[in-house]
Every structure is written in C-alpha cells, then in structure tokens.
Amino acid sequence: MGDQSSEQAERPSAPPEAPASPTYAPVERTSLSSLWQDTRYRHLRRRAVIAVAAGVVFGVLFASWRLGLTAAILACVADAVYRARTVSSIPAWRRASAAERQTEAQLKKLERNGYKTLHARAIPGSEAQIDHLVVGPTGVYAVDSEKWDKRLPVRVQSHRKLFHGPFNQKPRLDEARWEAAQASDLISKALGREITVVPSLAIYGPPIPWRILNIREVDVFSGGLVRKWITKRERSLTTAEIDAIYRAAERVLPSRYPE
C-alpha cells in the first residue's frame, strides 16, 4: 500500500493531453494438453491413469461397462484417501526432519475426533519452534519430534536426567518446557484466561524403556505413542473453547515458514 500511495503522489494530477486508444491483450486459451503437462496437476494425472486402468481391467474381466465404471470411481476415491493420509501439509523443502513428518501423520488421524494442529510455529522474538501445537478435547499440547541415533541407548536418572548414550539431554528438555510456557503465556494473554500447554518430547529411533515418563516437567515417550498420549487424558475443552484457542494460537504463534 505504501508503494502504491507514493507512486500516486508522483503522478501528475492533470489529465493527459490526448486519451490513449484502448488496447486489448490477447487472451491465452488453456488447452487440455497444457493442463495435462502442468506439474501442479501431477496427482490428478496419476489418479486418472489409475481410474482408467481399473475401469478397463474390471470392464474386460467381467464384460460389463457398469462394473468397469464402478471400479474406476472406487479407484479414484481410494487414491484420494491415500493421498490425504500420506501427503504432508508441510512442503518438502521446509521439513526439518523425518520425525516431524511421522508425528504429523499420526496427528492428522485425530482430526476426525475434534483435534486441531498447527505445525512448525515460531516463538516470537526467538529462534525456537514448536514442531506441533495440538488443541483438542483433552487439552493443549506442544509436541517436539526428535530423530535420535538408534544405536545409542536412552536412559534416565532419578527422573531428572535424560541421556542419549553419553549425551545429557537437559538442554533439549529445558527448551521444550520453555517453548510450551511461552505458548501458554501468549495464548492466555490473547484470550484473557489461563491456558495450559503441556510440553512433550516424541523420540524416534532408539527403543524407549518406558511408555510415558515426565522428566523435568516434560513428558517423554516413543514417537509412536503420540496419539495415545493425547487421547488417553480426560476431556476438558468444549468445541467452542477448542476453536477459540486454536484461532488465538494461530495469531500469536506465527508460522515458521509463511507463504
């Protein structure tokens, strides 16, 4: 807007001496061949090929065009469902780790149960990031996904120290707890009431010798338990509260990779 207003200020206020004759830009027609070659529709081309193949095979085998058409439609539906469940909403060049994609795939299955998730959300004024912020009937959660070397064992001492091989993971736990606390403060201020965000660390790679363990106020568990960790808690939020918290979180926690 600022650029446009400055340009308008520099333009002369007097009309031009002679009106310019109208010109018309040629309209480029879109052909089916150009659409077919467009990389944005690659998944649709794949779906069309699958549908045609299924239709032809079933139509020929059962000598019925109706069965062939039914098979083609079912193939389209199956491919759409598969793509919805496996394709990440985070573009490939923006993904920080395979662990985040694995967690995202699990969280996507919670959507039908009223859960909403924000991925890769930045903490304003810092370089920190919450990999996944989940808002649902059982509460609000900050999930950080970690891919660790499976050759090194994971162990804990006195419920206060987490080790991956010889490496003390205290800084990682402190970071996860701080991120959740920041998110809680920002969302609470936006809504005018206290919102608790539960911090967690989902670990992929090495076996975890416990199911869920709270270490330095952070829940630590194997990445495959993300959904169970969230859904096994008591329901505490209504649908209206979930929507309000989600909208507030979307405002106060900007996307790490804005469009």
Side-chain angles (χ1 to χ4, degrees):
M1 292 296 292
D3 292 340
Q4 292 178 354
S5 61
S6 61
E7 289 176 4
Q8 291 173 354
E10 294 172 359
R11 292 171 185 166
S13 57
E17 295 181 358
S21 59
T23 58
Y24 301 93
V27 177
E28 183 180 353
R29 296 181 180 275
T30 303
S31 63
L32 288 177
S33 61
S34 64
L35 288 175
W36 182 261
Q37 295 172 2
D38 194 325
T39 57
R40 293 175 299 176
Y41 304 111
R42 183 179 302 165
H43 65 288
L44 296 180
R45 295 199 300 269
R46 173 175 172 270
R47 191 170 300 163
V49 171
I50 292 174
V52 170
V56 170
V57 169
F58 278 83
V60 171
L61 285 177
F62 296 96
S64 171
W65 67 267
R66 290 186 176 85
L67 284 177
L69 179 60
T70 301
I73 294 172
L74 291 176
C76 282
V77 172
D79 182 70
V81 171
Y82 174 80
R83 180 178 172 81
R85 291 184 175 181
T86 58
V87 175
S88 172
S89 64
I90 303 176
W93 64 272
R94 294 174 175 174
R95 296 175 200 156
S97 69
E100 289 182 40
R101 298 198 296 274
Q102 288 178 274
T103 299
E104 185 190 3
Q106 292 189 66
L107 296 177
K108 184 175 289 188
K109 297 176 182 178
L110 292 178
E111 293 176 0
R112 66 174 75 99
N113 297 323
Y115 289 86
K116 297 186 176 184
T117 307
L118 295 169
H119 302 285
R121 310 305 288 197
I123 303 296
S126 75
E127 295 298 319
Q129 168 186 301
I130 296 178
D131 294 341
H132 320 274
L133 187 82
V134 186
V135 185
T138 59
V140 186
Y141 308 93
V143 183
D144 276 358
S145 302
E146 291 283 310
K147 179 71 172 179
W148 288 358
D149 189 338
K150 64 181 179 180
R151 297 171 297 181
L152 299 178
V154 175
R155 57 191 176 88
V156 67
Q157 288 184 357
S158 305
H159 285 225
R160 295 292 296 170
K161 294 182 179 180
L162 175 66
F163 290 89
H164 178 217
F167 305 107
N168 190 337
Q169 298 300 316
K170 178 181 180 298
R172 190 66 191 87
L173 291 171
D174 291 345
E175 182 182 15
R177 187 176 65 252
W178 181 83
E179 291 169 354
Q182 292 298 305
S184 176
D185 289 343
L186 291 168
I187 297 172
S188 297
K189 290 177 181 177
L191 294 177
R193 64 187 184 92
E194 186 67 26
I195 300 296
T196 300
V197 179
V198 182
S200 69
L201 201 61
I203 301 172
Y204 296 88
I208 307 300
W210 59 78
R211 285 187 63 79
I212 297 171
L213 189 63
N214 188 272
I215 309 172
R216 299 185 66 83
E217 302 177 25
V218 178
D219 285 348
V220 181
F221 46 82
S222 173
L225 295 177
V226 171
R227 281 194 299 160
K228 288 185 178 180
W229 172 70
I230 292 173
T231 57
K232 293 301 180 182
R233 297 169 178 262
E234 293 184 4
R235 300 173 71 91
S236 58
L237 296 176
T238 65
T239 300
E241 290 173 325
I242 293 169
D243 291 339
I245 295 171
Y246 178 83
R247 289 195 300 269
E250 200 171 25
R251 292 195 307 271
V252 300
L253 298 172
S255 174
R256 174 62 70 187
Y257 310 109
E259 295 295 339

